Amino acid sequence: MAKKVLVLAGGFSAEREVSLVTGKCVCEALKKAGYEVIFYDWRNGFDLVEVLKKERPDVVFNALHGNWGEDGEIQGFLDVLQIPYTHSGLRASVLGMDKFLTKELAQLNNIKVPQGEKKTFAEFKLYGTQVPMPYVLKPVSDGSSVGVYIIRKTQDLAQVSYEDDREILVEKFIDGQELTCMVLEGKAYVVTELRASDDFYDYHAKYTDGVTKHILPAEIPAEVADCCKNYAEKLHRVLGCSGVSRCDFRYNPKDGVVLLEINTAPGMTNLSLVPEQAKYIGTSYEQLCAGLVEAATCRKIV
């Protein structure tokens, strides 16, 4: 009897529309792979409880992105209900979503990260920063490059808009090649270079066809590719990630390989990097989705 999979998409974050696309792509793939599939657009917590009670899925495929989907909230909820789910568990999700905590753990494990500091936007406006220009401003907890600004000159600050109590990172801007590396079941295989026609690989560049060129494998020295893969595997392991994760880097000869962030629930749309790298190593999209379903788990009650 085929497993029943509830594909959980939508949600409440700034990445809602991307999540819906991911969810629909996953649904098609899992149906082709022979699973009984239910697509659910999450808009209300009480409704989700009723749907789970009614459908009693064997597995929840977590196709959510951003807050509530990648930050441990939905993971803890499904742990309590004892419903297995795809991707990383609560601990890894909390740590991976918090870019400051990720940087702290990376540094403790000899993974190079940009110079930077954490503060609220109100503190930034009042006291400024010790990080020299050019620097990057980004939310401590958000994904898909939502709310990221590159500040090259004082005038650029006019475009910056956050709520005063929003925690942000101020980081040294690392010039060079944009690189990314998937880790699937603990193993990194290949590095992709991203060449965006926009100023940098932002939300628009990630999800607009034709805006970014993917160079697979990346045109980098072998030792640089090995460093990316080593860093990605190490951080996946240190955070306790499950299933699949993806690390993003910048590289130039002066700074070397520098970690930007980890994605514990990376995108799975037709423009996404994880399916592309999986295909490169001989794993089809259907196989990738099915593998995540079969590896799904939840925290056990003992």
Side-chain angles (χ1 to χ4, degrees):
M1 185 173 168
K3 283 184 178 178
K4 180 186 283 190
V5 182
L6 186 141
V7 177
L8 185 58
F12 317 105
S13 80
E15 300 168 71
R16 172 179 167 78
E17 295 307 315
V18 175
S19 171
L20 290 171
V21 175
T22 290
K24 289 172 183 176
C25 291
V26 168
C27 281
E28 291 178 13
L30 291 178
K31 286 175 182 177
K32 290 178 182 177
Y35 293 93
E36 182 182 350
V37 181
I38 302 154
F39 177 82
Y40 181 69
D41 177 0
W42 183 28
R43 296 173 181 268
N44 179 285
F46 290 104
D47 289 347
L48 175 57
V49 171
E50 292 304 313
V51 168
L52 292 172
K53 285 169 60 178
K54 176 186 174 183
E55 299 293 347
R56 296 191 175 276
D58 298 301
V59 173
V60 167
F61 193 108
N62 181 16
L64 297 168
H65 297 310
N67 290 307
W68 293 94
E70 294 182 60
D71 59 4
E73 301 285 359
I74 195 66
Q75 290 81 6
F77 176 72
L78 294 172
D79 282 339
V80 170
L81 295 178
Q82 288 290 280
I83 301 174
Y85 53 90
T86 63
H87 300 82
S88 294
L90 188 152
R91 175 179 175 273
S93 300
V94 169
L95 294 174
M97 192 64 172
D98 189 311
K99 296 180 178 67
F100 181 75
L101 289 178
T102 297
K103 285 183 63 175
E104 295 285 292
L105 287 168
Q107 285 182 298
L108 288 172
N109 287 274
N110 300 311
I111 297 172
K112 193 170 184 179
V113 297
Q115 169 198 352
E117 57 185 358
K118 179 179 78 167
K119 51 182 60 185
T120 65
F121 186 49
E123 291 170 336
F124 174 79
K125 289 191 295 184
L126 188 60
Y127 303 113
T129 179
Q130 297 299 309
V131 180
M133 289 185 187
Y135 56 79
V136 178
L137 298 178
K138 58 186 178 184
V140 168
S141 297
D142 242 329
S144 287
S145 300
V146 172
V148 177
Y149 302 91
I150 299 177
I151 308 301
R152 302 182 187 275
K153 55 187 183 299
T154 303
Q155 291 87 332
D156 292 338
L157 290 168
Q159 66 181 312
V160 178
S161 177
Y162 300 111
E163 294 178 355
D164 279 352
D165 61 351
R166 188 69 181 272
E167 286 192 323
I168 61 171
L169 281 180
V170 188
E171 290 185 339
K172 175 186 174 184
F173 174 73
I174 306 297
D175 204 359
Q177 292 170 278
E178 188 98 22
L179 306 173
T180 194
C181 181
M182 167 191 78
V183 175
L184 183 61
E185 298 298 334
K187 176 69 175 173
Y189 296 91
V190 67
V191 179
T192 299
E193 179 186 354
L194 307 168
R195 294 182 185 172
S197 58
D198 286 3
D199 189 42
F200 76 111
Y201 189 56
D202 61 3
Y203 185 92
H204 172 68
K206 287 180 178 180
Y207 300 114
T208 305
D209 197 6
V211 172
T212 300
K213 187 176 182 181
H214 297 182
I215 312 299
L216 178 61
E219 295 174 351
I220 51 177
E223 60 270 21
V224 173
D226 289 342
C227 182
C228 290
K229 289 186 280 187
N230 177 56
Y231 278 178
E233 288 180 358
K234 185 185 291 187
L235 195 57
H236 182 98
R237 184 171 62 252
V238 166
L239 266 60
C241 296
S242 303
V244 66
S245 68
R246 199 193 79 235
C247 283
D248 298 333
F249 306 96
R250 276 289 179 97
Y251 164 73
N252 65 65
K254 178 183 176 182
D255 295 301
V257 175
V258 181
L259 173 77
L260 299 182
E261 65 179 16
I262 187 170
N263 301 272
T264 57
M268 296 275 285
T269 72
N270 57 347
L271 294 177
S272 296
L273 294 151
V274 162
E276 186 177 59
Q277 289 196 351
K279 183 178 179 181
Y280 180 83
I281 64 171
T283 301
S284 70
Y285 187 73
E286 289 80 9
Q287 290 171 327
L288 174 65
C289 293
L292 291 172
V293 168
E294 294 303 320
T297 186
C298 61
R299 182 179 175 185
K300 301 301 182 187
I301 295 176
V302 292

